[in-house]
Amino acid sequence: TITPTDDFFKEQVTTKNRYLMWTDEAETIHYAGAATDPIHNLGYLESTASEPARKSPGLLMQAVTRPDFRLMDADIVAISSLGSSSKCFALITEQYAAPDRTHKAPRWTTTVTANEIYENTAGGALPSTIERVSNYTPLNTSLFNKILSANENNLQAAMDKLDDHTHSSYALQAFAASFSPADATTYYFGSMPSEQPQTTANRCRIQIPANGTIHRVRVLWASWGGVAGSGESITFNVRLNNTTSYLIVAIANTSAIKTSGILDLNLPVTDSDAIEIEVVCPNWATNPTLVRLAVSLFIGT
């Protein structure tokens, strides 16, 4: 409780009362208050939620008093004056004026102002021109290939999908020891970095630890201390459960270090699946030697 030492005013204004409007998850429009008052659009409330109890701005007050460091914005402050006391949610302003020729003593005051509810609100035509139209504005889905898909073809559906997304991912890596690949041979590697790529599948498989979708794959082919080889096309695939191969990339150049990958594979996997990296070699004019392989896979859940 504070007592004003300087200026003070208090008034009650009924012209700022508001008629509350909101919508719920079933797209039902709700109202509360007096229909003759201006509309205040609350936006969205769950059907189980209660509307605000207050439809009026409350008392409008301001009091100037001595410096009081106890007071902070949003405190409930009772202002006592002329034998009565009134409470408000306060906005606090500290003001200091240095001495000058017109006022020899410094002036330091605290101003307490009631936080006016609905001060900056305005009515709106929610049912016909806003909520029921803009929420379902069509979207161009042609580039949706990660979290969103062609099914999220309007604003509401896209926002619901983003809200449900857990925003988590993990990475897996596959490695192979140095080898000299043969012409027209298919190799497999994955979970055993000390082993050379195998010509028999399913020996070096990587077990998937959690359900998700393989989105991005990066490939490294490195010939260290050997022959880089000629530039025929080398194909890299993800081999899922030793049944189906999914293309990552085909690389065709004469560099000793070859890097490439895919950023939108979108291959769903479960924790019961296993993968290997499949490398399909061409008939080289000049065979590469002392090749090491590494692949990184990024999986969203």
Side-chain angles (χ1 to χ4, degrees):
T1 300
I2 67 165
T3 301
T5 59
D6 202 339
D7 295 336
F8 170 67
F9 79 86
K10 177 172 69 174
E11 62 179 327
Q12 187 167 9
V13 180
T14 59
T15 58
K16 293 189 177 182
N17 293 354
R18 291 293 183 260
Y19 184 39
L20 305 183
M21 170 188 285
W22 69 96
T23 185
D24 63 20
E25 67 274 14
E27 301 179 37
T28 302
I29 307 297
H30 299 270
Y31 302 91
T36 54
D37 290 331
I39 290 175
H40 172 55
N41 179 6
L42 293 174
Y44 175 85
L45 285 178
E46 293 283 345
S47 58
T48 55
S50 300
E51 77 272 10
R54 180 182 291 279
K55 282 76 175 179
S56 64
L59 291 172
L60 307 181
M61 297 185 290
Q62 187 175 81
V64 180
T65 187
R66 296 183 179 90
D68 192 335
F69 292 123
R70 299 173 301 165
L71 305 180
M72 300 180 66
D73 283 349
D75 281 350
I76 298 177
V77 176
I79 301 176
S80 178
S81 179
L82 302 176
S84 65
S85 180
S86 301
K87 292 182 179 180
C88 69
F89 289 100
L91 298 176
I92 307 300
T93 304
E94 296 285 345
Q95 185 171 355
Y96 175 79
D100 57 27
R101 291 182 179 181
T102 61
H103 201 285
K104 301 299 183 182
R107 288 163 290 178
W108 190 2
T109 58
T110 295
T111 302
V112 179
T113 306
N115 191 354
E116 184 179 339
I117 302 170
Y118 308 127
E119 179 184 11
N120 295 316
T121 62
L126 174 70
S128 61
T129 62
I130 301 177
E131 194 271 342
R132 294 191 179 186
V133 178
S134 64
N135 281 22
Y136 300 97
T137 301
L139 297 176
N140 179 359
T141 64
S142 62
L143 297 178
F144 289 173
N145 55 23
K146 294 181 175 62
I147 296 173
L148 302 180
S149 69
N151 296 325
E152 287 72 57
N153 58 9
N154 65 70
L155 194 59
Q156 185 66 49
M159 293 299 102
D160 287 343
K161 180 68 172 288
L162 292 175
D163 183 60
D164 291 339
H165 185 61
T166 58
H167 306 286
S168 62
S169 62
Y170 62 93
L172 296 175
Q173 290 187 300
F175 298 99
S178 176
F179 79 120
S180 297
D183 288 337
T185 304
T186 299
Y187 294 94
Y188 303 89
F189 71 99
S191 60
M192 300 180 185
S194 62
E195 295 292 328
Q196 292 183 343
Q198 304 288 303
T199 56
T200 301
N202 217 29
R203 290 182 175 178
C204 300
R205 60 185 179 271
I206 301 173
Q207 297 299 134
I208 299 296
N211 296 353
T213 301
I214 301 175
H215 291 298
R216 293 177 290 162
V217 185
R218 299 295 297 176
V219 171
L220 170 66
W221 168 292
S223 179
W224 296 342
V227 177
S230 50
E232 290 80 7
S233 181
I234 310 161
T235 301
F236 289 81
N237 302 313
V238 174
R239 182 76 173 171
L240 179 61
N241 296 323
N242 197 27
T243 57
T244 308
S245 298
Y246 297 88
L247 177 66
I248 302 172
V249 69
I251 303 176
N253 61 62
T254 58
S255 299
I257 307 296
K258 310 181 202 310
T259 61
S260 190
I262 185 170
L263 301 180
D264 56 354
L265 181 59
N266 290 322
L267 172 59
V269 290
T270 70
D271 58 8
S272 61
D273 288 333
I275 61 170
E276 283 184 296
I277 304 302
E278 181 180 69
V279 183
V280 182
C281 296
N283 282 308
W284 278 288
T286 302
N287 288 62
T289 61
L290 301 182
V291 174
R292 295 168 177 82
L293 299 172
V295 172
S296 298
L297 305 99
F298 298 89
I299 301 175
T301 60

